[in-house]
Amino acid sequence: MATTGPTASGSVGGLDFDVRPSDRPRSPDERAALLESPGFGQIFTDHMVTIRYESGKGWYDARLEPYGPLSLDPATAALHYGQEIFEGLKAYRREDGTIALFRPEANAARLNRSARRMAMPELPEDVFVRAIELLLEHDSAWVPSREGHSLYLRPFMFATQVGMGVNSPSASYLFAVIASPSAAYFSGAVKPVRVWLSEDYTRAAPGGTGEAKCAGNYAASFLAQAEAVQRGCDQVVWLDAAEHRWVEEMGGMNLFFVFGSGADARLVTPELNGALLPGITRDSLLRLAPELGWSVEEGRISTEQWRAAAESGELTEVFACGTAAVITPVGSVRSASGDWQHGDGTPGPVTLRLREELVGIQYGLRPDPYGWVRALG
Ligand SMILES: *Cc1c(COP(=O)(O)O)cnc(C)c1O
């Protein structure tokens, strides 16, 4: 299949999008009421984009259509064997009223890495980006303008072949993009979370699917997350599968550790070992931190080191990062062997400075020398 750029006819990657706007979009008043207090991932815009795939034929039947239920045969492969991958990115309303995306090509590339791991077809990156832009052209009024709010975009792909044979991956797939106006992920101000070190469950193992953004990783996480809540914590921290000792991630976010303070602060984030999800926020912070004068390295951190450095005061801040919640301070830790906290348990200056810079770039309030922001229309 050709993967040429957009042409005058609107064809991308050899695909023409059939545009069928809703004849019953919500009224401006209804929309305004919904945008008052959108929560996270609770309400959806008027449209969605869908593209189908069949092996031997490639991607076809690309369309924009009214948001609505999908009708699936009960024997659809994804419902039985879990071939499902997804992405998450946001559209931001900037001060001048325009809309921008943050590194959408990075999401396109990661979707394809996830697809390869799950034996699913890759989608040309320009088709991925065009699908998002097309949805935004029709649902731009749903991009909130309130501070900290955004339109969360959820591209996803799943196996649609009907039948329960397990000898080969599905021969057909549906790719779709839906959009959900969202408030800040964790409600309230930048409030530190308390985390639970999960020593009984693991999220991912070497050779497994930890670095793919697939539904199954989340299915495997809910019990541990429930345990964290039971222990009075907000989030679960995942450790490595072999030794239950090396820190990997927090829930659906990557972690950063800050040693020292002021100009001497030094950041460490767990290295990508095949079990971690390579976050685009993580990658962006690896670029940003040195620009703000802090060294940053990818390395290994054990739970013993974490606790000892927190207790000695050498470890001053810990935060988690991801698209949905941006940067969230980790105030304290609870584990089977005891509790500890970082500094005085309030958000630290390095955490807050990085957050301000990243959010500033996303909302167009700061320069973007990295070429991360993709302004629309
Ligand atoms: C999506 C995700 C992240 C964060 O990735 P971003 O690209 O920064 O949003 C981190 N960990 C897991 C498990 C994830 O699914």
Side-chain angles (χ1 to χ4, degrees):
M1 177 174 40
T3 55
T4 52
T7 66
S9 70
S11 164
V12 180
L15 276 173
D16 275 312
F17 282 85
D18 185 7
V19 176
R20 306 177 185 180
S22 170
D23 52 15
R24 289 178 291 124
R26 259 86 38 105
S27 71
D29 281 353
E30 283 175 288
R31 190 170 55 235
L34 288 168
L35 290 180
E36 262 311 297
S37 170
F40 185 88
Q42 302 297 311
I43 60 174
F44 298 92
T45 62
D46 292 315
H47 299 97
M48 62 185 183
V49 167
T50 56
I51 313 177
R52 294 188 176 270
Y53 177 93
E54 221 174 276
S55 72
K57 183 170 177 180
W59 293 100
Y60 69 101
D61 197 11
R63 53 169 89 168
L64 173 114
E65 59 195 342
Y67 181 94
L70 301 168
S71 160
L72 297 176
D73 187 289
T76 296
L79 301 178
H80 300 271
Y81 305 127
Q83 263 187 305
E84 199 272 2
I85 56 176
F86 64 95
E87 274 302 322
L89 69 164
K90 287 172 168 176
Y92 304 89
R93 175 82 63 192
R94 302 193 290 179
E95 268 196 338
D96 63 4
T98 60
I99 295 168
L101 293 165
F102 185 73
R103 304 186 69 185
E105 331 69 42
N107 294 96
R110 187 171 63 189
L111 180 87
N112 284 338
R113 291 200 303 274
S114 299
R116 286 196 288 276
R117 177 62 183 85
M118 307 301 286
M120 296 166 79
E122 296 180 37
L123 181 72
E125 290 184 16
D126 55 353
V127 173
F128 177 97
V129 174
R130 178 65 195 136
I132 288 167
E133 289 183 344
L134 182 63
L135 184 58
L136 285 170
E137 281 165 24
H138 289 265
D139 285 340
S140 63
W142 289 93
V143 182
S145 45
R146 197 174 291 187
E147 195 187 339
H149 290 205
S150 57
L151 184 66
Y152 184 78
L153 296 151
R154 169 52 60 84
F156 62 105
M157 191 204 297
F158 65 90
T160 54
Q161 186 171 325
V162 173
M164 292 188 283
V166 285
N167 290 332
S168 55
S170 173
S172 61
Y173 295 87
L174 180 75
F175 170 80
V177 188
I178 56 175
S180 175
S182 296
Y185 188 73
F186 294 119
S187 49
V190 186
K191 201 172 122 258
V193 294
R194 170 189 278 169
V195 297
W196 166 250
L197 297 190
S198 179
E199 287 162 292
D200 294 333
Y201 302 110
T202 46
R203 192 190 82 93
T209 58
E211 62 186 354
K213 212 167 170 72
C214 66
N217 289 343
Y218 278 75
S221 77
F222 294 126
L223 191 57
Q225 174 63 26
E227 184 185 65
V229 170
Q230 224 169 47
R231 302 281 182 164
C233 297
D234 305 288
Q235 288 285 322
V236 58
V237 163
W238 300 108
L239 307 174
D240 74 291
E243 297 181 70
H244 292 263
R245 182 170 171 231
W246 303 100
V247 178
E248 296 197 329
E249 297 192 63
M250 179 193 93
M253 302 176 79
N254 297 113
L255 282 166
F256 276 83
F257 294 78
V258 183
F259 295 90
S261 58
D264 295 328
R266 182 171 68 79
L267 285 80
V268 181
T269 190
E271 66 193 359
L272 299 179
N273 60 2
L276 265 72
L277 197 287
I280 293 162
T281 316
R282 173 187 182 279
D283 184 69
S284 304
L285 292 175
L286 287 173
R287 287 282 305 279
L288 268 186
E291 299 293 328
L292 300 181
W294 295 307
S295 76
V296 56
E297 64 184 84
E298 302 176 77
R300 296 222 291 174
I301 294 169
S302 70
T303 52
E304 306 92 83
Q305 249 177 307
W306 184 351
R307 183 175 191 163
E311 286 174 351
S312 74
E314 188 203 349
L315 177 67
T316 50
E317 305 175 34
V318 178
F319 63 85
C321 67
T323 297
V326 199
I327 289 180
T328 297
V330 176
S332 57
V333 183
R334 177 161 286 175
S335 73
S337 55
D339 294 5
W340 65 90
Q341 68 171 37
H342 311 120
D344 61 3
T346 63
V350 174
T351 302
L352 293 176
R353 179 70 188 88
L354 283 166
R355 188 178 205 283
E356 178 191 27
E357 189 68 22
L358 181 62
V359 170
I361 293 171
Q362 291 168 335
Y363 284 91
L365 303 168
R366 301 232 179 239
D368 169 32
Y370 317 98
W372 286 339
V373 171
R374 186 180 175 110
L376 298 186

